[in-house]
Amino acid sequence: MTEIMNLLHNPRPGVPGEAEYTAGFAATVTYDAVGRLKVTSIGDYAYAARPITLPAGDWVYSAWLRGDVGGSDPTTTENRGLYVIVDGKFIAHAPFAGKDKRYTARFHLDAETTVSLRLAGPSTVGDSMAWYAMILASKQDYDQMRSLTDANGDPLNLTWFDGNTYPRNGGGGLAS
């Protein structure tokens, strides 16, 4: 059996977990009961940040953007999307291109480096964006996860859960 490792914490809905991301200077960050991270704008450059030290190699950072929350959908795309930053410089960016979709940024590190993984929020004060199913994996692990097939060679089409899609059957054990 092959082990595929996601370096980010994605708690199963309802299971308490520590917050990995912290608010940037123009945002508040909260986790809802089902594990989504909500970035709410209090200024014009809202984001959640997560520092992590990675060895040299090729990496993939990916997250699902659930949608915007607020009085109306923000119309600007400035500063929105998914970013990887090293020493204050953008090394990878998946720019905002709509909600209810997965964003993925690929990047390469020549040496062990501390990167800042960022999930951007809207630039409209008071509006927010909800992210979930965050992945940080080596390119090899990510590509392997994406290529998994069943016994017939058909793609597994792995999907990620959130509080609305996680199967709940009233119990907490495997037999319930």
Side-chain angles (χ1 to χ4, degrees), residues 87-102:
D87 296 328
K89 296 178 184 159
F90 292 80
I91 65 166
H93 177 213
F96 181 80
K99 57 187 178 180
D100 299 317
K101 64 183 283 182
R102 178 168 284 285

Side-chain angles (χ1 to χ4, degrees), residues 50-127:
R50 176 16 168 133
I52 188 168
T53 301
L54 299 171
D58 293 311
W59 296 93
V60 178
Y61 176 42
S62 184
W64 188 271
L65 174 62
R66 173 122 180 141
D68 300 321
V69 178
S72 62
D73 287 347
T75 57
T76 61
T77 58
E78 181 181 352
N79 300 331
R80 293 168 68 192
L82 179 139
Y83 302 87
V84 180
I85 297 178
V86 173
D87 296 328
K89 296 178 184 159
F90 292 80
I91 65 166
H93 177 213
F96 181 80
K99 57 187 178 180
D100 299 317
K101 64 183 283 182
R102 178 168 284 285
Y103 286 81
T104 303
R106 297 172 188 271
F107 61 101
H108 175 81
L109 299 174
D110 290 328
E112 182 176 274
T113 306
T114 298
V115 301
S116 177
L117 304 174
R118 294 195 181 173
L119 300 170
S123 57
T124 304
V125 173
D127 282 350

